[in-house]
Amino acid sequence: VFLAAQLRDQAYEHVTSELKRLGLVDLAPSHGAILITLYREKALSLKDLSIRIHKKKSSTTELVDKLIRLGYVEKATSVEDQRVKLVRLTPRSAAHKEDFKVLSENVNGRVYKGFSREEQQQFTDLLSRSLKNY
């Protein structure tokens, strides 16, 4: 657990410095998780977004509210169910899609440096299994 925490801390520092380098000083790494998820999924309810980023709904709500204030995401009513509010990207966040793709590849490249494809998959599988224990 200590090693996993160290890895998280170092990756967090790396992502923070990369966000600053990209001029995205108003964002934290946890915001990046939301944006990267929405780049893939287009629009999600808060509940589904919480599940995808492995955070409590209340924490996800706080992060999304800040992203709304900063102009990176917006809430829209679902076409299928008027009761459901979906979180989706704005043009401001869409303009940074490539930056986040490169940043994500850079972080993963550091984490997996020197690992074979099989080891990368094993590492991911083992961490995922460990997370499910909580």
Side-chain angles (χ1 to χ4, degrees), residues 1 19 21 27 44 76 87 99-100 133:
V1 172
L19 288 170
R21 186 184 64 76
L27 296 178
L44 291 168
V87 179
D99 291 333
F100 278 98
N133 291 336

Side-chain angles (χ1 to χ4, degrees), residues 107-116 119-121 123-124 127:
V107 170
N108 286 334
R110 274 191 171 200
V111 170
Y112 294 130
K113 185 177 180 180
F115 287 28
S116 69
E119 289 171 329
Q120 290 176 23
Q121 190 60 53
F123 184 65
T124 301
L127 286 175

Side-chain angles (χ1 to χ4, degrees), residues 9 11 14 28 33 35 46 54 70 84-86 93 97-98 100 110-112 117 119 129:
D9 291 347
H14 175 74
L35 295 174
L46 276 170
H54 306 285
L70 295 171
V84 176
K85 293 286 186 189
L86 299 175
S93 57
K97 184 176 182 177
E98 190 61 29
F100 278 98
R110 274 191 171 200
V111 170
Y112 294 130
R117 288 267 183 221
E119 289 171 329
R129 282 176 46 199

Side-chain angles (χ1 to χ4, degrees), residues 11-131:
Y12 194 94
E13 273 185 44
H14 175 74
V15 171
T16 300
S17 68
E18 285 297 298
L19 288 170
K20 285 179 185 172
R21 186 184 64 76
L22 292 166
L24 301 169
V25 294
D26 50 354
L27 296 178
S30 50
H31 293 127
I34 290 172
L35 295 174
I36 288 170
T37 301
L38 291 174
Y39 288 135
R40 275 185 264 139
E41 304 280 341
K42 305 297 180 220
L44 291 168
S45 68
L46 276 170
K47 178 184 175 187
D48 289 338
L49 186 56
S50 299
I51 291 166
R52 299 283 197 309
I53 67 169
H54 306 285
K55 290 203 179 283
K56 293 178 184 174
K57 190 176 175 192
S58 59
S59 299
T60 302
T61 299
E62 286 181 40
L63 291 167
V64 166
D65 286 347
K66 182 167 184 188
L67 287 171
I68 289 170
R69 285 192 305 276
L70 295 171
Y72 288 98
V73 300
E74 62 188 7
K75 287 183 184 175
T77 304
S78 169
V79 177
E80 290 99 29
D81 185 344
Q82 300 290 315
R83 298 170 294 172
V84 176
K85 293 286 186 189
L86 299 175
V87 179
R88 65 182 184 193
L89 301 170
T90 64
R92 180 176 188 188
S93 57
H96 294 288
K97 184 176 182 177
E98 190 61 29
D99 291 333
F100 278 98
K101 180 182 177 203
V102 170
L103 177 58
S104 181
E105 289 169 355
N106 183 291
V107 170
N108 286 334
R110 274 191 171 200
V111 170
Y112 294 130
K113 185 177 180 180
F115 287 28
S116 69
R117 288 267 183 221
E118 183 180 315
E119 289 171 329
Q120 290 176 23
Q121 190 60 53
Q122 286 176 328
F123 184 65
T124 301
D125 291 344
L126 292 170
L127 286 175
S128 295
R129 282 176 46 199
S130 294
L131 277 173

